[in-house]
Amino acid sequence: MKIFGIAKNYPQHNKEAEDTLYDNGGNPVVFTKADSALLKDRRPFFVPDWCSRVDYEGELVVRICRLGKCIPERFAHRYYDAVTVGVDFTARDVERRLRSGGLPWELCKGFDGSAAIGEWVDKELLRDVQRLRFSLRVNGKTAQEGYTGDMLFGIDAIIAYLSRFFTLKTGDIIYTGTPAGAGPVSIDDHIEGYIEDRRVLDFNCK
């Protein structure tokens, strides 16, 4: 199983970030997480002690359902079958240090437990996945609200692009980017994720 992430895919988040844009020739900015980053089944997220700040980034996540390579964008909708809300945890102070040195992101993005994921929802049960609203709540208060129609790169375009470089396999997952509102997480925080009014994600931080 591969875990992909897309950076800077919402204009509102780009405006609030310290470094607003990456230059990838007009293509999505891609990073990966180790398989040990996956955190599911409402298991708690353990805030690491090797960094001073960890941020939550709530995102819509899609699940690949068939083998594919060099997938045309017009056929990409056939290659995923479910969506959920996930959290791309980021060690923010480590991220700043790595970026200032032009170093890879794996340590700040791909550490154990950094890819929290909720319950999958069959995309056929939802309206147009590119017109969905999703949200993240921290301690009962809405921290982030996203609308997939605001993505700079839509889900089909992301799948087509990734498949140029990686063979996509059943079970691979893609974090499609975070909207505005990412912020620090603390021990004892309670995090919930929603697709429209459906709660799909629920876990605690320890």
Side-chain angles (χ1 to χ4, degrees), residues 91-177:
R92 196 65 75 195
D93 57 317
V94 177
E95 178 188 42
R96 293 190 183 108
R97 185 176 73 245
L98 293 172
R99 289 184 178 177
S100 67
L103 300 173
W105 301 1
E106 280 78 5
L107 292 181
C108 69
K109 285 284 194 180
F111 59 90
D112 288 355
S114 63
I117 198 165
E119 299 172 1
W120 293 107
V121 180
D122 189 324
K123 72 175 184 178
E124 300 303 324
L125 300 178
L126 302 166
R127 59 188 174 123
D128 183 357
V129 293
Q130 211 59 68
R131 296 293 183 269
L132 284 179
R133 298 194 180 277
F134 64 97
S135 62
L136 196 74
R137 298 181 188 176
V138 179
N139 300 324
K141 296 181 179 180
T142 300
Q144 291 185 277
E145 294 181 295
Y147 174 60
T148 56
D150 291 334
M151 289 180 177
L152 297 174
F153 299 96
I155 294 169
D156 291 354
I158 291 169
I159 290 173
Y161 182 71
L162 285 173
S163 72
R164 291 171 55 190
F165 306 94
F166 303 92
T167 298
L168 299 182
K169 297 182 178 181
T170 300
D172 289 349
I173 61 176
I174 305 169
Y175 285 71
T176 58

Side-chain angles (χ1 to χ4, degrees), residues 3 31 41 46 67 74 83 91 125 127 133 155 157 181 185 187:
I3 303 173
F31 61 92
D41 301 328
F46 290 92
L67 186 73
R74 67 183 183 277
V83 300
L125 300 178
R127 59 188 174 123
R133 298 194 180 277
I155 294 169
V185 68
I187 293 173

Side-chain angles (χ1 to χ4, degrees), residues 1-7 9 28-38 57 59-66 68-69 71 79-80 86-89 105-106 109-110 114-117 120 155 158-178:
M1 181 200 69
K2 298 184 290 297
I3 303 173
F4 298 101
I6 304 299
N9 202 25
V29 175
V30 178
F31 61 92
T32 61
K33 289 175 176 276
D35 57 3
S36 60
L38 193 65
E57 297 185 10
E59 311 193 10
L60 192 82
V61 184
V62 302
R63 182 178 69 191
I64 298 299
C65 63
R66 59 191 296 188
K69 175 71 175 175
I71 302 165
Y79 287 82
Y80 68 101
V87 179
D88 166 24
F89 283 109
W105 301 1
E106 280 78 5
K109 285 284 194 180
S114 63
I117 198 165
W120 293 107
I155 294 169
I158 291 169
I159 290 173
Y161 182 71
L162 285 173
S163 72
R164 291 171 55 190
F165 306 94
F166 303 92
T167 298
L168 299 182
K169 297 182 178 181
T170 300
D172 289 349
I173 61 176
I174 305 169
Y175 285 71
T176 58
T178 193

